[in-house]
Amino acid sequence: MKLFRGASYTGQPIYVLSQPVFPNDSTILASFEGSDYNVPAPANEQLIYSCFATFVPESASEQATRLGPVCFNAVAYSDD
């Protein structure tokens, strides 16, 4: 799973989850916390983050299901 600043998966990811947690054989739990410092102010005053996950099944019967909740929280500070 990779987290990018922006609406696409181009550019340098700001966070990469490389070791998910396997609570049982049929579930992968992907949870993370991160910080993004010294972010330039966007021209349109909206800061967008996108998260992309890759699923590679071991057999044709495996399917990926995404369950929520998905939540991004942000706090912005300025010296201005």
Side-chain angles (χ1 to χ4, degrees):
M1 180 167 49
K2 295 181 180 180
L3 183 67
F4 294 84
R5 186 185 313 134
S8 71
Y9 56 88
T10 60
Q12 181 71 28
I14 61 169
Y15 188 86
V16 176
L17 176 69
S18 58
Q19 296 181 347
V21 177
F22 297 89
N24 61 48
D25 289 339
S26 63
T27 303
I28 298 172
L29 176 63
S31 178
F32 61 89
E33 294 180 20
S35 299
D36 192 16
Y37 294 101
N38 299 321
V39 179
N44 65 358
E45 299 182 357
Q46 291 184 337
L47 188 55
I48 298 172
Y49 289 90
S50 301
C51 185
F52 296 90
T54 301
F55 173 69
V56 180
E58 291 185 7
S59 70
S61 64
E62 289 184 329
Q63 294 183 355
T65 303
R66 184 176 150 255
L67 302 174
V70 175
C71 180
F72 287 101
N73 294 309
V75 177
Y77 299 96
S78 173
D79 292 334
D80 295 337

